[in-house]
Amino acid sequence: MERIPILRMGDLLLVTIQVDMHDRLAMTLQDDLTERIVRDAAKGVLIDISALDLVDSFIGRMISNTAAMARVLDAQTVVVGMQPAVAITLVELGLTLHGVKTALNVEKGMTLLGKSFS
C-alpha cells in the first residue's frame, strides 16, 4: 500500500506530499498522521502541498479534518506551499479550511509553528 512519509523534527511532524493524492491515500495519511501525533507527542504538523497541482473537494475536506483532529490531539497544523490554482479551487469550492494556518513555504511555516508554542 502506498504511504506518504511522515518525518519527525523535534516536537514537529513534517509531511511532504510528493504524489497525486487520491481518496484512499488521503485517508491513510490521516490515520498515519493522527497515530504519529499521539506516539511522538507532536505539538505541530507541517503539511507541504507544493507538489500538488490539483485539490478536489474531498482532499480539501481531508486537510481540514486532519487539522481538526490534530487540534483535538493538541497539535497545531500549518499547510505550506499551496499553488495559486489550488487556492483558487478551494475558494471556488467554498472550502475555507477552518483552523488551518497557511504559509508560503516550509521556512515560514516552521516560524509560524514556533510562534504557536510560545
Side-chain angles (χ1 to χ4, degrees):
M1 177 190 286
E2 187 178 20
R3 285 191 136 70
I4 295 175
I6 301 170
L7 305 174
R8 183 176 180 187
M9 298 175 58
D11 288 343
L12 307 177
L13 297 176
L14 174 62
V15 178
T16 302
I17 301 172
Q18 297 289 324
V19 296
D20 287 332
M21 291 288 284
H22 51 81
D23 296 358
R24 183 177 298 163
L25 183 58
M27 294 295 293
T28 300
L29 174 60
Q30 187 176 62
D31 292 342
D32 290 349
L33 189 54
T34 53
E35 287 176 21
R36 285 290 301 270
I37 290 168
V38 172
R39 187 176 81 208
D40 296 339
K43 293 294 179 191
V45 176
L46 190 102
I47 302 174
D48 180 2
I49 63 168
S50 58
L52 293 182
D53 294 326
L54 180 66
V55 171
D56 63 16
S57 62
F58 181 80
I59 301 302
R61 281 192 312 274
M62 291 303 299
I63 291 170
S64 183
N65 290 344
T66 300
M69 291 174 194
R71 264 193 321 278
V72 169
L73 297 171
D74 197 29
Q76 298 297 313
T77 302
V78 175
V79 174
V80 301
M82 189 177 301
Q83 300 293 330
V86 171
I88 291 167
T89 301
L90 290 175
V91 170
E92 287 176 348
L93 291 171
L95 298 172
T96 56
L97 301 180
H98 292 291
V100 180
K101 296 178 183 178
T102 59
L104 290 177
N105 56 43
V106 172
E107 182 179 356
K108 290 182 179 191
M110 296 286 279
T111 300
L112 190 56
L113 280 173
K115 290 178 181 175
S116 296
F117 301 151
S118 302

